[in-house]
Structures are given as C-alpha cells and as structure tokens.
Amino acid sequence: MGKATAKNTLAGLKIRARRMQAGMTQGELARRVGISASYLNLIELNKRAIADVLVERVANSLDVERSELDGEAERRVVANLEEIAADPEIANAIDPPGPAADLIGRNPGWADLVLALHRAWHDQKEAAAALADRLNRDPFLGDSVHRMLTHAASIRSASEILDTENGLSDAERRRFLAIVAADSQKLSGAAQSLLEFFDSTRIRVRSATPAEHVDAFILATDNHFPDLEALAADFLTRGGHDKRLQPAGNKLPSEPTAPDTVEARRFAWTRGTLQPEVAEATRELVDTHPALASEESRRLASAALEAYAAAAALMPYEPFLEAAEKWRYNIDALCRLFDVSYEQAAHRLATLRRASAEGVRFAFMRSDASGYVTKRLPLPRLPLPRYGNACPLWVINSAFQTPGTTVRSFGKLPSGDQFLFFARAVEKHSPTAALPRHLLSVMLACSVAEADRVCYAEGIDRVAAMAPVGTICRLCPRADCRHRHEAPLIV
C-alpha cells in the first residue's frame, strides 16, 4: 500500500473531524455519499485516496464548504514545512522528519509554531548578514573606525607624554592637554556619528515575513476580490475608460525611475486615479483579515489590492474572460486587445476566479535572472518555492535564454500531477549603457486537465514533451536527474 499524499492525509482527518462534529456515524455518511462504511473508514484512516468528486459529495452531505475538507490552506502549510525541512542549514544537521501532513492534521498549532520559529530564525540570520555586509562594504563605517582609531592613538600618545615626562614646561603641558581635549572631542564626535548612522538607517530585515503574510492573504481569498471588481466597473461606467483622460502615450518619463513604457504609464495613471476610490474597500479587506498580522503586511496588501483594481479597470472581468476564451488564453492577443503589457495580462489571467464565471485556473510566478522569486501564486497541487530556486527544468528559467519568446512544456511532478508550463522573459526597464538588461521571467501553469483550453498546449506532443520536473531540488526524489543542484532531503 502506497503512502498517503498530503491531500489524502488532510482530507481524511478533516472528514472524520467534521463527521463527528455533525454527530453522524460512518455508516450514515457512507450511505449518503454512496460508498461502503468500510471504504469510508479506510479514507478516514488515510489508507485510501479520495477522488475530487467524492470530496464534493462528502462536503454536501456534511453541509460544509469543499474547501474545509479539501485542505488547500493546510497543503500550503505542508509545502512551507517541507521547504523548511529542505533548507540545507537545517536539514544537514538532523535526520529526515516524518510526513509534515501528520503534524498538521493532528497538531496544527505546533505546525504554526514551527513556521513562526523558522521565520524568526530567518529574520535573525538576515539581520546578521545585513549588518556584516554593511560593516564590510560601507565606506562611511571604514572611515569612521579609522578616525576613531587615529584620535584614540593621539590621545594615548599625548597622555603617555604627560605621564612620563617630568621636565615639561607649563606651555608644553598646556599644549599636550589641549591635544588630549581636542582629540577627545573629535573621538566623541566620530562615535556619535557612528551611532546616528546605525540609528538612521533602520535596517529592514523582516521584509520576508510581511510578504509571506500577503501571500497567505491572497491565497486565502483565492486572488479574487468582488468588491474591487465592482468598483472598477463603476469607474468605467463613469467614463474612466475614456482615453482622453489618460496620459499621452508618447510622453517621455519625467524621472529615470518613472514607468518608461506606454503600458506601464497607463497602468500607473489608472492606479493613481483609482486609489482614493478603492481606499475604503482595501482598508476593510486588510484591516480585518487574520493573515495580515503587521502594519507592514497590511501596507503591502493594500498596494497589491490597488494594483488589482487598476488591472480590473484596464481589463474588465467579463470582456477579458470572453476574449481569453475566444483566443484560447493567447497573451499576445490579449495585450493587443486591451493595450496592456505581457506581465499585466498574464497576472490578470490568474485572477479569473469568479465562481459563476471562472477561467482556467493558473499558477503565476515571476523571478529575476538569479532565480529570486518576486511574485508567486501557487495552485493547490503545484506549490511554488519561496526560500529556494525553482526546479531547473521549469520554463521560467529557460525563458531567459530567448527573451521575448514564449517557452512552453508539459511537466510531471513526482506526485504524478501534470501541468502545462509556459513563460516569457520580458524587459522590465529600458536598457542603459552602464547597466545590463533588466529581465524578469513571467510564468503561468495550469493543470493538464485544462490544457486543451490554452493555445500554448498546441503542437506539443504531450507524451514526448512531458518533462520529469520537481519543485525544488531538496524536495525532489528523482535521483537520476542530471540538472540536480542539491541532494534530496527525503528519498
């Protein structure tokens, strides 16, 4: 008998808990969903897999939302715990732990505590690294230390002369005392400047934690915000779509850091215009959500929601979904139809989650050439890395080899889940003579069950092009992978 997956483990435990809360016997629930009591018992004991259609029937019988049984939120915790276990600084010092799903299913509070402890440890490590880097690299620090040592040496020399030379005249003694006083004042000034420098910089080393809170917030809301969609629609009804109100497309940016493409300037204008109109709605969303535990996370979430509203205004839900279905999710076609950038259209596709009119469910990921992930929106069966680089075989990496061209492939995870991946490396800013091109790779992925609705699956032999991919090397059991960077944690 195979090992239960995280989904099955969590679903089995949740079904049992909800059934007992409802005061229902196994026999009664089994009768309602049309299976035997013995089979239901095996599901609750995590000894049998449960199909999606059966999860739906069980949820209806228990009068609960499917999400309460499906364990999507818990699977994200599983993915986070497995990433922690795969961290080389931790994993190399301990034996491989047991299944993370067991810990979450039986002791969810302890799972949350482990995640909180890892975040605190990660923050402290980043703080030490930031301070060490500043000590090593900042010229102000080196100069300050040099001045302090110089003044201290001068004070010491003058003091030794005053202490050991008995034949000094009054004028000479006054001169050396003046040196001690002057250099003492300079030493004090240098030390004070150093203290003010550290106090004024306010080194930020906890940026990862608020970003993780925003991730949890977006995932918990399924990356769809009906109130913002309604406000954007109202904005358009009142003439917000009138291009005469928008900045001229050929206007040059006023500053080097200003948006330097027509699409970016249009998006920035729309966002700024909508900001006061959506302020109250965004405040209500972020102030009461339990995932946003800090002021910084609420600020980041508010900025993300403002961008969401701008996208909803530039790409209205119904017309955009209709066009996406008509053109089979061809991002270039959508860019031309709605005058938006590749990244803007791709990100909007990942928000088409309205229950009554849902598009293809996409995972979204964006990274720079170093592999650093700058945006992520996973799918329930496709966790996206946070602390490490993605699988080298993912097209988000190979897209950097041919910027501006869409790279696509099918991929099969060790779990057996299969996905269509497609990505493109896009220019974030115009290149300059002194700096290299600023490229970001934007990737979307969807289940193979929905791939036939997407044009990027056309012309690919699904069997021949099904790459054996993982998520990150430390969590991938494929021992014979020639692209592996690190040894697997669990084999």
Side-chain angles (χ1 to χ4, degrees), residues 392-425:
L393 294 175
W394 282 13
V395 294
I396 194 170
N397 300 310
S398 54
F400 285 109
Q401 300 174 13
T402 54
T405 302
T406 300
V407 182
R408 55 208 178 109
S409 76
F410 286 99
K412 183 177 181 180
L413 296 179
S415 64
D417 296 300
Q418 300 179 6
F419 297 90
L420 169 67
F421 298 88
F422 55 98
R424 178 181 295 184

PDB file of all heavy atoms in Angstrom, residues 392-425:
ATOM      1  N   PRO A 392      15.256  23.466 -11.968  1.00  0.00           N
ATOM      2  CA  PRO A 392      15.963  23.961 -13.143  1.00  0.00           C
ATOM      3  C   PRO A 392      15.264  23.636 -14.462  1.00  0.00           C
ATOM      4  O   PRO A 392      15.518  24.299 -15.472  1.00  0.00           O
ATOM      5  CB  PRO A 392      17.324  23.244 -13.055  1.00  0.00           C
ATOM      6  CG  PRO A 392      17.469  22.863 -11.625  1.00  0.00           C
ATOM      7  CD  PRO A 392      16.085  22.586 -11.129  1.00  0.00           C
ATOM      8  N   LEU A 393      14.392  22.628 -14.464  1.00  0.00           N
ATOM      9  CA  LEU A 393      13.707  22.241 -15.699  1.00  0.00           C
ATOM     10  C   LEU A 393      12.454  23.065 -15.955  1.00  0.00           C
ATOM     11  O   LEU A 393      11.854  22.934 -17.021  1.00  0.00           O
ATOM     12  CB  LEU A 393      13.336  20.748 -15.638  1.00  0.00           C
ATOM     13  CG  LEU A 393      14.520  19.769 -15.630  1.00  0.00           C
ATOM     14  CD1 LEU A 393      14.031  18.346 -15.451  1.00  0.00           C
ATOM     15  CD2 LEU A 393      15.300  19.898 -16.925  1.00  0.00           C
ATOM     16  N   TRP A 394      12.048  23.912 -15.032  1.00  0.00           N
ATOM     17  CA  TRP A 394      10.880  24.753 -15.270  1.00  0.00           C
ATOM     18  C   TRP A 394      11.210  25.793 -16.332  1.00  0.00           C
ATOM     19  O   TRP A 394      12.324  26.339 -16.383  1.00  0.00           O
ATOM     20  CB  TRP A 394      10.454  25.441 -13.986  1.00  0.00           C
ATOM     21  CG  TRP A 394       9.686  24.561 -13.044  1.00  0.00           C
ATOM     22  CD1 TRP A 394       9.572  23.197 -13.119  1.00  0.00           C
ATOM     23  CD2 TRP A 394       8.943  24.968 -11.895  1.00  0.00           C
ATOM     24  NE1 TRP A 394       8.798  22.739 -12.084  1.00  0.00           N
ATOM     25  CE2 TRP A 394       8.388  23.798 -11.314  1.00  0.00           C
ATOM     26  CE3 TRP A 394       8.682  26.191 -11.299  1.00  0.00           C
ATOM     27  CZ2 TRP A 394       7.610  23.831 -10.171  1.00  0.00           C
ATOM     28  CZ3 TRP A 394       7.903  26.228 -10.156  1.00  0.00           C
ATOM     29  CH2 TRP A 394       7.370  25.056  -9.600  1.00  0.00           C
ATOM     30  N   VAL A 395      10.226  26.105 -17.164  1.00  0.00           N
ATOM     31  CA  VAL A 395      10.465  27.033 -18.272  1.00  0.00           C
ATOM     32  C   VAL A 395      10.709  28.456 -17.787  1.00  0.00           C
ATOM     33  O   VAL A 395      11.192  29.289 -18.562  1.00  0.00           O
ATOM     34  CB  VAL A 395       9.286  27.013 -19.258  1.00  0.00           C
ATOM     35  CG1 VAL A 395       9.189  25.672 -19.950  1.00  0.00           C
ATOM     36  CG2 VAL A 395       7.966  27.353 -18.554  1.00  0.00           C
ATOM     37  N   ILE A 396      10.405  28.764 -16.531  1.00  0.00           N
ATOM     38  CA  ILE A 396      10.690  30.100 -16.027  1.00  0.00           C
ATOM     39  C   ILE A 396      12.181  30.393 -16.056  1.00  0.00           C
ATOM     40  O   ILE A 396      12.607  31.546 -16.179  1.00  0.00           O
ATOM     41  CB  ILE A 396      10.132  30.276 -14.590  1.00  0.00           C
ATOM     42  CG1 ILE A 396      10.123  31.753 -14.197  1.00  0.00           C
ATOM     43  CG2 ILE A 396      10.913  29.426 -13.576  1.00  0.00           C
ATOM     44  CD1 ILE A 396       9.375  32.051 -12.925  1.00  0.00           C
ATOM     45  N   ASN A 397      12.994  29.347 -16.002  1.00  0.00           N
ATOM     46  CA  ASN A 397      14.443  29.505 -16.084  1.00  0.00           C
ATOM     47  C   ASN A 397      14.927  29.547 -17.533  1.00  0.00           C
ATOM     48  O   ASN A 397      15.717  30.414 -17.912  1.00  0.00           O
ATOM     49  CB  ASN A 397      15.139  28.360 -15.340  1.00  0.00           C
ATOM     50  CG  ASN A 397      14.767  28.313 -13.873  1.00  0.00           C
ATOM     51  OD1 ASN A 397      14.838  29.324 -13.173  1.00  0.00           O
ATOM     52  ND2 ASN A 397      14.366  27.150 -13.383  1.00  0.00           N
ATOM     53  N   SER A 398      14.461  28.629 -18.353  1.00  0.00           N
ATOM     54  CA  SER A 398      14.926  28.579 -19.743  1.00  0.00           C
ATOM     55  C   SER A 398      14.440  29.764 -20.565  1.00  0.00           C
ATOM     56  O   SER A 398      15.017  30.072 -21.614  1.00  0.00           O
ATOM     57  CB  SER A 398      14.476  27.269 -20.409  1.00  0.00           C
ATOM     58  OG  SER A 398      13.084  27.085 -20.298  1.00  0.00           O
ATOM     59  N   ALA A 399      13.400  30.467 -20.109  1.00  0.00           N
ATOM     60  CA  ALA A 399      12.907  31.631 -20.860  1.00  0.00           C
ATOM     61  C   ALA A 399      13.951  32.727 -20.963  1.00  0.00           C
ATOM     62  O   ALA A 399      13.931  33.522 -21.918  1.00  0.00           O
ATOM     63  CB  ALA A 399      11.636  32.169 -20.195  1.00  0.00           C
ATOM     64  N   PHE A 400      14.894  32.790 -20.022  1.00  0.00           N
ATOM     65  CA  PHE A 400      15.936  33.813 -20.074  1.00  0.00           C
ATOM     66  C   PHE A 400      16.878  33.603 -21.262  1.00  0.00           C
ATOM     67  O   PHE A 400      17.584  34.534 -21.666  1.00  0.00           O
ATOM     68  CB  PHE A 400      16.746  33.825 -18.774  1.00  0.00           C
ATOM     69  CG  PHE A 400      16.021  34.452 -17.622  1.00  0.00           C
ATOM     70  CD1 PHE A 400      15.561  33.671 -16.568  1.00  0.00           C
ATOM     71  CD2 PHE A 400      15.781  35.815 -17.581  1.00  0.00           C
ATOM     72  CE1 PHE A 400      14.881  34.247 -15.497  1.00  0.00           C
ATOM     73  CE2 PHE A 400      15.104  36.395 -16.515  1.00  0.00           C
ATOM     74  CZ  PHE A 400      14.650  35.606 -15.472  1.00  0.00           C
ATOM     75  N   GLN A 401      16.914  32.408 -21.824  1.00  0.00           N
ATOM     76  CA  GLN A 401      17.793  32.138 -22.967  1.00  0.00           C
ATOM     77  C   GLN A 401      17.296  32.801 -24.245  1.00  0.00           C
ATOM     78  O   GLN A 401      18.086  33.086 -25.145  1.00  0.00           O
ATOM     79  CB  GLN A 401      17.921  30.623 -23.171  1.00  0.00           C
ATOM     80  CG  GLN A 401      18.510  29.884 -21.980  1.00  0.00           C
ATOM     81  CD  GLN A 401      18.493  28.381 -22.170  1.00  0.00           C
ATOM     82  OE1 GLN A 401      18.259  27.873 -23.268  1.00  0.00           O
ATOM     83  NE2 GLN A 401      18.713  27.644 -21.090  1.00  0.00           N
ATOM     84  N   THR A 402      15.979  33.041 -24.341  1.00  0.00           N
ATOM     85  CA  THR A 402      15.384  33.653 -25.533  1.00  0.00           C
ATOM     86  C   THR A 402      14.377  34.711 -25.114  1.00  0.00           C
ATOM     87  O   THR A 402      13.169  34.491 -25.202  1.00  0.00           O
ATOM     88  CB  THR A 402      14.695  32.588 -26.414  1.00  0.00           C
ATOM     89  OG1 THR A 402      13.742  31.859 -25.597  1.00  0.00           O
ATOM     90  CG2 THR A 402      15.702  31.626 -26.989  1.00  0.00           C
ATOM     91  N   PRO A 403      14.834  35.867 -24.617  1.00  0.00           N
ATOM     92  CA  PRO A 403      13.906  36.906 -24.154  1.00  0.00           C
ATOM     93  C   PRO A 403      12.904  37.293 -25.241  1.00  0.00           C
ATOM     94  O   PRO A 403      13.242  37.376 -26.425  1.00  0.00           O
ATOM     95  CB  PRO A 403      14.832  38.075 -23.817  1.00  0.00           C
ATOM     96  CG  PRO A 403      16.152  37.442 -23.538  1.00  0.00           C
ATOM     97  CD  PRO A 403      16.240  36.271 -24.461  1.00  0.00           C
ATOM     98  N   GLY A 404      11.664  37.507 -24.825  1.00  0.00           N
ATOM     99  CA  GLY A 404      10.625  37.909 -25.752  1.00  0.00           C
ATOM    100  C   GLY A 404       9.924  36.768 -26.449  1.00  0.00           C
ATOM    101  O   GLY A 404       8.962  36.981 -27.181  1.00  0.00           O
ATOM    102  N   THR A 405      10.388  35.543 -26.217  1.00  0.00           N
ATOM    103  CA  THR A 405       9.792  34.364 -26.838  1.00  0.00           C
ATOM    104  C   THR A 405       9.150  33.492 -25.765  1.00  0.00           C
ATOM    105  O   THR A 405       9.738  33.282 -24.702  1.00  0.00           O
ATOM    106  CB  THR A 405      10.858  33.538 -27.580  1.00  0.00           C
ATOM    107  OG1 THR A 405      11.479  34.366 -28.574  1.00  0.00           O
ATOM    108  CG2 THR A 405      10.241  32.323 -28.243  1.00  0.00           C
ATOM    109  N   THR A 406       7.960  33.000 -26.057  1.00  0.00           N
ATOM    110  CA  THR A 406       7.274  32.133 -25.102  1.00  0.00           C
ATOM    111  C   THR A 406       7.843  30.725 -25.159  1.00  0.00           C
ATOM    112  O   THR A 406       7.906  30.110 -26.226  1.00  0.00           O
ATOM    113  CB  THR A 406       5.762  32.089 -25.386  1.00  0.00           C
ATOM    114  OG1 THR A 406       5.232  33.411 -25.277  1.00  0.00           O
ATOM    115  CG2 THR A 406       5.053  31.187 -24.385  1.00  0.00           C
ATOM    116  N   VAL A 407       8.288  30.228 -24.014  1.00  0.00           N
ATOM    117  CA  VAL A 407       8.830  28.873 -23.876  1.00  0.00           C
ATOM    118  C   VAL A 407       7.779  28.037 -23.162  1.00  0.00           C
ATOM    119  O   VAL A 407       7.194  28.483 -22.167  1.00  0.00           O
ATOM    120  CB  VAL A 407      10.156  28.880 -23.089  1.00  0.00           C
ATOM    121  CG1 VAL A 407      10.733  27.482 -22.996  1.00  0.00           C
ATOM    122  CG2 VAL A 407      11.150  29.825 -23.737  1.00  0.00           C
ATOM    123  N   ARG A 408       7.524  26.839 -23.633  1.00  0.00           N
ATOM    124  CA  ARG A 408       6.439  26.041 -23.065  1.00  0.00           C
ATOM    125  C   ARG A 408       6.832  24.581 -22.980  1.00  0.00           C
ATOM    126  O   ARG A 408       7.678  24.109 -23.742  1.00  0.00           O
ATOM    127  CB  ARG A 408       5.169  26.199 -23.907  1.00  0.00           C
ATOM    128  CG  ARG A 408       5.382  25.877 -25.361  1.00  0.00           C
ATOM    129  CD  ARG A 408       4.418  26.656 -26.279  1.00  0.00           C
ATOM    130  NE  ARG A 408       4.696  26.341 -27.683  1.00  0.00           N
ATOM    131  CZ  ARG A 408       3.926  25.612 -28.480  1.00  0.00           C
ATOM    132  NH1 ARG A 408       2.774  25.118 -28.018  1.00  0.00           N
ATOM    133  NH2 ARG A 408       4.250  25.379 -29.718  1.00  0.00           N
ATOM    134  N   SER A 409       6.211  23.889 -22.040  1.00  0.00           N
ATOM    135  CA  SER A 409       6.440  22.457 -21.904  1.00  0.00           C
ATOM    136  C   SER A 409       5.388  21.878 -20.969  1.00  0.00           C
ATOM    137  O   SER A 409       4.734  22.607 -20.220  1.00  0.00           O
ATOM    138  CB  SER A 409       7.842  22.160 -21.347  1.00  0.00           C
ATOM    139  OG  SER A 409       7.886  22.411 -19.953  1.00  0.00           O
ATOM    140  N   PHE A 410       5.234  20.573 -21.025  1.00  0.00           N
ATOM    141  CA  PHE A 410       4.454  19.863 -20.018  1.00  0.00           C
ATOM    142  C   PHE A 410       5.415  19.345 -18.956  1.00  0.00           C
ATOM    143  O   PHE A 410       6.579  19.056 -19.242  1.00  0.00           O
ATOM    144  CB  PHE A 410       3.691  18.696 -20.645  1.00  0.00           C
ATOM    145  CG  PHE A 410       2.506  19.113 -21.469  1.00  0.00           C
ATOM    146  CD1 PHE A 410       2.592  19.186 -22.843  1.00  0.00           C
ATOM    147  CD2 PHE A 410       1.317  19.448 -20.858  1.00  0.00           C
ATOM    148  CE1 PHE A 410       1.504  19.581 -23.601  1.00  0.00           C
ATOM    149  CE2 PHE A 410       0.219  19.841 -21.601  1.00  0.00           C
ATOM    150  CZ  PHE A 410       0.314  19.909 -22.986  1.00  0.00           C
ATOM    151  N   GLY A 411       4.940  19.243 -17.750  1.00  0.00           N
ATOM    152  CA  GLY A 411       5.773  18.745 -16.666  1.00  0.00           C
ATOM    153  C   GLY A 411       4.996  17.831 -15.744  1.00  0.00           C
ATOM    154  O   GLY A 411       3.811  18.061 -15.469  1.00  0.00           O
ATOM    155  N   LYS A 412       5.668  16.792 -15.267  1.00  0.00           N
ATOM    156  CA  LYS A 412       5.053  15.841 -14.340  1.00  0.00           C
ATOM    157  C   LYS A 412       5.826  15.848 -13.038  1.00  0.00           C
ATOM    158  O   LYS A 412       7.031  15.593 -13.006  1.00  0.00           O
ATOM    159  CB  LYS A 412       5.064  14.431 -14.947  1.00  0.00           C
ATOM    160  CG  LYS A 412       4.379  13.383 -14.077  1.00  0.00           C
ATOM    161  CD  LYS A 412       4.357  12.026 -14.783  1.00  0.00           C
ATOM    162  CE  LYS A 412       3.653  10.971 -13.940  1.00  0.00           C
ATOM    163  NZ  LYS A 412       3.627   9.652 -14.626  1.00  0.00           N
ATOM    164  N   LEU A 413       5.126  16.160 -11.954  1.00  0.00           N
ATOM    165  CA  LEU A 413       5.745  16.178 -10.633  1.00  0.00           C
ATOM    166  C   LEU A 413       5.911  14.754 -10.101  1.00  0.00           C
ATOM    167  O   LEU A 413       5.240  13.825 -10.573  1.00  0.00           O
ATOM    168  CB  LEU A 413       4.888  16.983  -9.664  1.00  0.00           C
ATOM    169  CG  LEU A 413       4.717  18.474  -9.970  1.00  0.00           C
ATOM    170  CD1 LEU A 413       3.820  19.114  -8.926  1.00  0.00           C
ATOM    171  CD2 LEU A 413       6.046  19.185 -10.023  1.00  0.00           C
ATOM    172  N   PRO A 414       6.782  14.555  -9.122  1.00  0.00           N
ATOM    173  CA  PRO A 414       6.920  13.218  -8.518  1.00  0.00           C
ATOM    174  C   PRO A 414       5.611  12.680  -7.959  1.00  0.00           C
ATOM    175  O   PRO A 414       5.423  11.462  -7.877  1.00  0.00           O
ATOM    176  CB  PRO A 414       7.950  13.463  -7.409  1.00  0.00           C
ATOM    177  CG  PRO A 414       8.760  14.622  -7.878  1.00  0.00           C
ATOM    178  CD  PRO A 414       7.791  15.502  -8.607  1.00  0.00           C
ATOM    179  N   SER A 415       4.684  13.560  -7.587  1.00  0.00           N
ATOM    180  CA  SER A 415       3.383  13.129  -7.083  1.00  0.00           C
ATOM    181  C   SER A 415       2.507  12.534  -8.169  1.00  0.00           C
ATOM    182  O   SER A 415       1.478  11.911  -7.870  1.00  0.00           O
ATOM    183  CB  SER A 415       2.659  14.316  -6.449  1.00  0.00           C
ATOM    184  OG  SER A 415       2.384  15.315  -7.431  1.00  0.00           O
ATOM    185  N   GLY A 416       2.901  12.726  -9.434  1.00  0.00           N
ATOM    186  CA  GLY A 416       2.089  12.266 -10.545  1.00  0.00           C
ATOM    187  C   GLY A 416       1.245  13.356 -11.159  1.00  0.00           C
ATOM    188  O   GLY A 416       0.690  13.185 -12.252  1.00  0.00           O
ATOM    189  N   ASP A 417       1.115  14.508 -10.506  1.00  0.00           N
ATOM    190  CA  ASP A 417       0.339  15.625 -11.046  1.00  0.00           C
ATOM    191  C   ASP A 417       1.051  16.205 -12.268  1.00  0.00           C
ATOM    192  O   ASP A 417       2.280  16.387 -12.260  1.00  0.00           O
ATOM    193  CB  ASP A 417       0.154  16.705  -9.985  1.00  0.00           C
ATOM    194  CG  ASP A 417      -0.667  16.217  -8.812  1.00  0.00           C
ATOM    195  OD1 ASP A 417      -1.826  15.832  -9.023  1.00  0.00           O
ATOM    196  OD2 ASP A 417      -0.136  16.204  -7.676  1.00  0.00           O
ATOM    197  N   GLN A 418       0.278  16.529 -13.289  1.00  0.00           N
ATOM    198  CA  GLN A 418       0.831  17.022 -14.546  1.00  0.00           C
ATOM    199  C   GLN A 418       0.308  18.424 -14.838  1.00  0.00           C
ATOM    200  O   GLN A 418      -0.862  18.727 -14.597  1.00  0.00           O
ATOM    201  CB  GLN A 418       0.466  16.079 -15.699  1.00  0.00           C
ATOM    202  CG  GLN A 418       1.002  14.662 -15.511  1.00  0.00           C
ATOM    203  CD  GLN A 418       0.610  13.742 -16.643  1.00  0.00           C
ATOM    204  OE1 GLN A 418       0.023  14.167 -17.646  1.00  0.00           O
ATOM    205  NE2 GLN A 418       0.923  12.465 -16.510  1.00  0.00           N
ATOM    206  N   PHE A 419       1.196  19.262 -15.397  1.00  0.00           N
ATOM    207  CA  PHE A 419       0.861  20.660 -15.645  1.00  0.00           C
ATOM    208  C   PHE A 419       1.434  21.108 -16.988  1.00  0.00           C
ATOM    209  O   PHE A 419       2.433  20.564 -17.484  1.00  0.00           O
ATOM    210  CB  PHE A 419       1.421  21.563 -14.535  1.00  0.00           C
ATOM    211  CG  PHE A 419       0.850  21.286 -13.179  1.00  0.00           C
ATOM    212  CD1 PHE A 419       1.450  20.358 -12.337  1.00  0.00           C
ATOM    213  CD2 PHE A 419      -0.298  21.927 -12.754  1.00  0.00           C
ATOM    214  CE1 PHE A 419       0.925  20.086 -11.092  1.00  0.00           C
ATOM    215  CE2 PHE A 419      -0.840  21.659 -11.510  1.00  0.00           C
ATOM    216  CZ  PHE A 419      -0.229  20.742 -10.676  1.00  0.00           C
ATOM    217  N   LEU A 420       0.783  22.118 -17.544  1.00  0.00           N
ATOM    218  CA  LEU A 420       1.318  22.844 -18.694  1.00  0.00           C
ATOM    219  C   LEU A 420       1.998  24.095 -18.167  1.00  0.00           C
ATOM    220  O   LEU A 420       1.380  24.882 -17.427  1.00  0.00           O
ATOM    221  CB  LEU A 420       0.190  23.227 -19.663  1.00  0.00           C
ATOM    222  CG  LEU A 420       0.570  24.220 -20.771  1.00  0.00           C
ATOM    223  CD1 LEU A 420       1.558  23.591 -21.749  1.00  0.00           C
ATOM    224  CD2 LEU A 420      -0.674  24.721 -21.496  1.00  0.00           C
ATOM    225  N   PHE A 421       3.267  24.296 -18.517  1.00  0.00           N
ATOM    226  CA  PHE A 421       4.028  25.468 -18.117  1.00  0.00           C
ATOM    227  C   PHE A 421       4.334  26.310 -19.355  1.00  0.00           C
ATOM    228  O   PHE A 421       4.721  25.759 -20.385  1.00  0.00           O
ATOM    229  CB  PHE A 421       5.355  25.076 -17.463  1.00  0.00           C
ATOM    230  CG  PHE A 421       5.244  24.275 -16.196  1.00  0.00           C
ATOM    231  CD1 PHE A 421       5.158  22.884 -16.239  1.00  0.00           C
ATOM    232  CD2 PHE A 421       5.236  24.895 -14.957  1.00  0.00           C
ATOM    233  CE1 PHE A 421       5.071  22.131 -15.078  1.00  0.00           C
ATOM    234  CE2 PHE A 421       5.152  24.156 -13.793  1.00  0.00           C
ATOM    235  CZ  PHE A 421       5.066  22.776 -13.847  1.00  0.00           C
ATOM    236  N   PHE A 422       4.209  27.613 -19.249  1.00  0.00           N
ATOM    237  CA  PHE A 422       4.700  28.497 -20.317  1.00  0.00           C
ATOM    238  C   PHE A 422       5.173  29.807 -19.700  1.00  0.00           C
ATOM    239  O   PHE A 422       4.589  30.301 -18.731  1.00  0.00           O
ATOM    240  CB  PHE A 422       3.645  28.725 -21.409  1.00  0.00           C
ATOM    241  CG  PHE A 422       2.323  29.231 -20.945  1.00  0.00           C
ATOM    242  CD1 PHE A 422       2.004  30.579 -21.013  1.00  0.00           C
ATOM    243  CD2 PHE A 422       1.353  28.359 -20.454  1.00  0.00           C
ATOM    244  CE1 PHE A 422       0.772  31.051 -20.604  1.00  0.00           C
ATOM    245  CE2 PHE A 422       0.106  28.823 -20.041  1.00  0.00           C
ATOM    246  CZ  PHE A 422      -0.184  30.174 -20.113  1.00  0.00           C
ATOM    247  N   ALA A 423       6.261  30.339 -20.248  1.00  0.00           N
ATOM    248  CA  ALA A 423       6.907  31.509 -19.647  1.00  0.00           C
ATOM    249  C   ALA A 423       7.547  32.365 -20.726  1.00  0.00           C
ATOM    250  O   ALA A 423       7.852  31.887 -21.829  1.00  0.00           O
ATOM    251  CB  ALA A 423       7.956  31.075 -18.619  1.00  0.00           C
ATOM    252  N   ARG A 424       7.774  33.614 -20.368  1.00  0.00           N
ATOM    253  CA  ARG A 424       8.479  34.536 -21.259  1.00  0.00           C
ATOM    254  C   ARG A 424       9.305  35.491 -20.408  1.00  0.00           C
ATOM    255  O   ARG A 424       8.846  35.995 -19.377  1.00  0.00           O
ATOM    256  CB  ARG A 424       7.505  35.335 -22.117  1.00  0.00           C
ATOM    257  CG  ARG A 424       8.195  36.345 -23.044  1.00  0.00           C
ATOM    258  CD  ARG A 424       7.205  37.153 -23.863  1.00  0.00           C
ATOM    259  NE  ARG A 424       6.461  36.312 -24.791  1.00  0.00           N
ATOM    260  CZ  ARG A 424       5.589  36.794 -25.680  1.00  0.00           C
ATOM    261  NH1 ARG A 424       5.331  38.098 -25.718  1.00  0.00           N
ATOM    262  NH2 ARG A 424       4.961  35.971 -26.496  1.00  0.00           N
ATOM    263  N   ALA A 425      10.529  35.765 -20.845  1.00  0.00           N
ATOM    264  CA  ALA A 425      11.375  36.762 -20.199  1.00  0.00           C
ATOM    265  C   ALA A 425      11.078  38.110 -20.838  1.00  0.00           C
ATOM    266  O   ALA A 425      11.158  38.256 -22.061  1.00  0.00           O
ATOM    267  CB  ALA A 425      12.849  36.412 -20.351  1.00  0.00           C
TER     268      ALA A 425
END
